Amino acid sequence: MKHPMRKALTAVLAMAMPVCGGLMPGVQTAEAAQGRSSSSIYDSYITSIPLSDAAKHMAEAPVGGSTALIPAVSGKTVNVADYGANGGDRSSDTEAIQKAIQALGGAGTILFPAGTFYCADIKVPSNVTLLSMTTFGFDGNGATQLVRNKANASCILDLTGSQNVTVYGISIDGMSKSVQSTVHGVKAVNAKNILVANCRINACNGSAVLVDKSTGVTVRGSMLCGSAYGVGAISGSDILVYDNWLTSCHPAGYFAQSGVTSARVTANRIEWCGTGVLLDGASGQTIAGNYFDRCSIGGIRATGGKNIQMLGNINQRNGVLHGTDESCNLYLNGVSGAVYRGNVMEAIRGDGNDTNVTPETAMIIRNLKDSQIVYNTAYKGFTHDLLKDYGGHSGTTVSNNVGTKY
């Protein structure tokens, strides 16, 4: 049934939608318009605290993806409810959502009102924004959620072959306990310039966000939880994962395989995952300024690959299985060009009645080439060893790492 004010409200929401205190769509700050780096902005306004050389390098280094606060709304705007999406019962909304997308006829915005929309394998073409208000919380999907309703679904949102797509402010529930296939939340395959922002993606037995053969994929401001991987990258480049909360993802919060050639993972809270960041032959990775907490197989674990920078991360009580090389914050094996510098590590007991203090070892390294493990701190950061060095290195510096036992 049509609501009398729906079209008017759709237009208003599309044009003037304040989200989380951010800017209006299409509005840029003066700094952004001038193309200034974050370090120059910092120096201009907080001159009493100068940036270190290392911090300036991080702030000025190029990153892939988008840092826009909220998506600019352009072209036609369509409300899925106007095309029969119910959002109020368990009937399938897949066909209605696809009709709304087809009605755009090109670039535009699909607006989701409050409701629970049961759907799967929604094909999202190029130049389309899926938009709703961000209302999710720690233990709830929020006002607008897309819930898997097909047992053999491959994903909820399928961005295969698409470019310039934004998914903003939408909760996705993969319902992994009842699925009969591997299901992902957002699937970006052969895609380019993708932004997933301010979303809550939960319960996918695949990846909350899957990246394969794609470039310029950004995931920011989102909660990725209860899935196999928060972000699972098989292959691609210019991947940016920042300002997210990745929790209860097993085997890992962020996983990159050998086909991934450049990515930055920064300013994320990564907790209660199998491994915080798991790298299997990946190259060109920058893991900087993240907080790792109670990841059972360590904060960062990399095997093979090259040119991996791990800078300024905080690690607490990772590596819960005693008596193994999994009880650590860092594990590096066979990496070329690894830099682990300026990281902080701390051993703490578990929550509540859990008296297990971890990790046993702060850092474990073996078979490194042209690498640096330097200037790291582990005050009360381990129960047995600061460093377990298996050797086999070439051209590698290990120095100025300090710490004390718990």
Side-chain angles (χ1 to χ4, degrees):
M1 187 170 97
K2 304 285 185 180
H3 295 288
M5 296 297 292
R6 177 174 292 151
K7 291 185 178 179
L9 288 173
T10 297
V12 171
L13 283 170
M15 295 182 63
M17 199 174 185
V19 180
C20 297
L23 301 176
M24 294 296 182
V27 177
Q28 291 184 316
T29 62
E31 290 83 358
Q34 295 169 10
R36 298 173 62 188
S37 70
S38 55
S39 63
S40 68
I41 296 170
Y42 190 101
D43 284 338
S44 298
Y45 295 102
I46 316 179
T47 55
S48 61
I49 311 177
L51 283 174
S52 67
D53 289 341
K56 282 189 175 183
H57 172 74
M58 285 304 303
E60 293 175 345
V63 298
S66 167
T67 57
L69 289 178
I70 60 177
V73 175
S74 60
K76 187 176 179 181
T77 298
V78 171
N79 191 321
V80 296
D82 288 334
Y83 288 82
N86 187 291
D89 58 31
R90 296 185 68 89
S91 61
S92 177
D93 291 307
T94 299
E95 184 178 353
I97 295 170
Q98 290 290 177
K99 285 182 178 179
I101 292 173
Q102 292 169 6
L104 283 177
T109 300
I110 296 295
L111 187 63
F112 286 84
T116 299
F117 299 89
Y118 288 87
C119 57
D121 295 317
I122 299 294
K123 304 290 186 182
V124 184
S126 296
N127 306 311
V128 169
T129 294
L130 305 183
L131 181 64
S132 185
M133 287 189 175
T134 306
T135 58
F136 68 82
F138 171 75
D139 57 356
N141 277 337
T144 301
Q145 55 182 320
L146 308 184
V147 178
R148 180 191 58 79
N149 70 336
K150 190 170 67 172
N152 61 347
S154 67
C155 63
I156 307 302
L157 298 177
D158 188 353
L159 279 53
T160 298
S162 296
Q163 300 183 24
N164 308 318
V165 172
T166 294
V167 181
Y168 190 93
I170 296 174
S171 293
I172 293 175
D173 192 337
M175 298 284 286
S176 59
K177 290 183 179 180
S178 61
V179 73
Q180 298 176 9
S181 59
T182 300
V183 63
H184 309 288
V186 176
K187 184 169 70 173
V189 177
N190 290 313
K192 184 177 181 180
N193 298 336
I194 305 299
L195 172 63
V196 178
N198 288 39
C199 294
R200 186 183 195 270
I201 306 178
N202 177 50
C204 298
N205 66 352
S207 299
V209 179
L210 175 71
V211 180
D212 189 14
K213 303 181 185 71
S214 297
T215 183
V217 176
T218 295
V219 182
R220 71 144 176 88
S222 296
M223 181 178 180
L224 311 177
C225 53
S227 300
Y229 304 106
V231 176
I234 299 172
S235 62
S237 62
D238 292 330
I239 299 168
L240 175 61
V241 180
Y242 80 101
D243 194 26
N244 299 287
W245 185 6
L246 292 83
T247 182
S248 298
C249 293
H250 298 270
Y254 169 77
F255 176 46
Q257 299 185 39
S258 59
V260 181
T261 58
S262 60
R264 176 172 292 190
V265 179
T266 187
N268 301 284
R269 179 184 178 94
I270 307 176
E271 62 174 9
W272 296 92
C273 294
T275 303
V277 168
L278 180 61
L279 307 176
D280 185 8
S283 61
Q285 307 288 298
T286 297
I287 315 299
N290 301 285
Y291 173 72
F292 297 98
D293 177 39
R294 208 56 166 179
C295 293
S296 58
I297 313 179
I300 300 173
R301 196 171 187 90
T303 302
K306 61 183 180 180
N307 301 330
I308 300 172
Q309 297 188 70
M310 298 151 284
L311 312 172
N313 298 288
I314 297 174
N315 296 268
Q316 290 188 323
R317 58 179 188 172
N318 295 305
V320 301
L321 187 59
H322 285 224
T324 72
D325 281 351
E326 293 180 356
S327 187
C328 62
N329 293 302
L330 172 74
Y331 180 91
L332 299 178
N333 184 6
V335 180
S336 176
V339 177
Y340 191 73
R341 181 186 181 107
N343 300 279
V344 176
M345 296 160 280
E346 185 177 11
I348 306 178
R349 54 164 286 169
D351 294 334
N353 296 324
D354 182 1
T355 60
N356 183 20
V357 177
T358 60
E360 287 187 334
T361 305
M363 301 173 289
I364 300 176
I365 58 175
R366 64 199 317 160
N367 302 321
L368 301 182
K369 180 181 179 181
D370 300 330
S371 297
Q372 300 177 33
I373 312 298
V374 296
Y375 299 110
N376 300 289
T377 302
Y379 173 70
K380 292 187 177 180
F382 49 89
T383 59
H384 286 154
D385 302 297
L386 170 65
L387 174 67
K388 187 183 288 187
D389 188 347
Y390 286 102
H393 313 305
S394 65
T396 292
T397 300
V398 182
S399 66
N400 296 298
N401 300 295
V402 297
T404 57
K405 283 188 177 181
Y406 177 85

